Amino acid sequence: VQLQASGGGLVQAGDSLRLHCAVSGGTFSNYAMGWFRQAPGKQREFVAAISWSGNNTFYAGSVKGRFTISRDNAKSTVYLQMNSLKPEDTGVYYCAADSSYTSVASMYDYWGQGTEVTVSS
């Protein structure tokens, strides 16, 4: 299973970005999907997850109400819509896939290469 994340960039505080993660090599609907991020000098942290059908989602407290995770099983793609971005949202964002619906990074078997998001103040 291969994951390809894209959509990162340099934006100003208050702006929006939409990240994409295209999945190939497996049956997409068999996987729950997650987004994680890693800021410079910090550990990777959970951002959001979505269940296999897309009916269930959950978020880290720091992004709840600003970020929305969604998926299109027909396109084998998961999205992360990020609104009202803050400088503390800066980091490399990774998508991940696993048969489990979880916020625990170590549970995910498959990872994308990451896409960088920089939010200036």
Side-chain angles (χ1 to χ4, degrees), residues 17-81:
L17 274 177
R18 192 187 195 202
L19 305 184
H20 302 236
C21 176
V23 180
S24 61
T27 302
F28 183 65
S29 58
N30 287 348
Y31 297 103
M33 300 296 298
W35 284 99
F36 294 79
R37 67 187 181 188
Q38 188 166 16
K42 295 188 177 181
Q43 290 190 335
R44 192 171 298 189
E45 65 175 359
F46 169 74
V47 175
I50 189 166
S51 62
W52 312 266
S53 64
N55 289 340
N56 299 99
T57 59
F58 65 104
Y59 300 89
S62 58
V63 307
K64 195 170 185 179
R66 299 188 298 121
F67 291 10
T68 302
I69 188 171
S70 62
R71 66 189 294 161
D72 185 337
N73 283 356
K75 295 182 178 180
S76 298
T77 301
V78 63
Y79 307 95
L80 186 68
Q81 177 66 43

Side-chain angles (χ1 to χ4, degrees), residues 1-5 21-23 33-38 44-47 92-98 102-114:
V1 176
Q2 292 81 45
L3 287 72
Q4 180 72 43
C21 176
V23 180
M33 300 296 298
W35 284 99
F36 294 79
R37 67 187 181 188
Q38 188 166 16
R44 192 171 298 189
E45 65 175 359
F46 169 74
V47 175
V92 178
Y93 283 69
Y94 300 89
C95 57
D98 194 74
T102 178
S103 63
V104 179
S106 61
M107 295 290 291
Y108 282 85
D109 284 339
Y110 305 104
W111 290 83
Q113 85 290 357

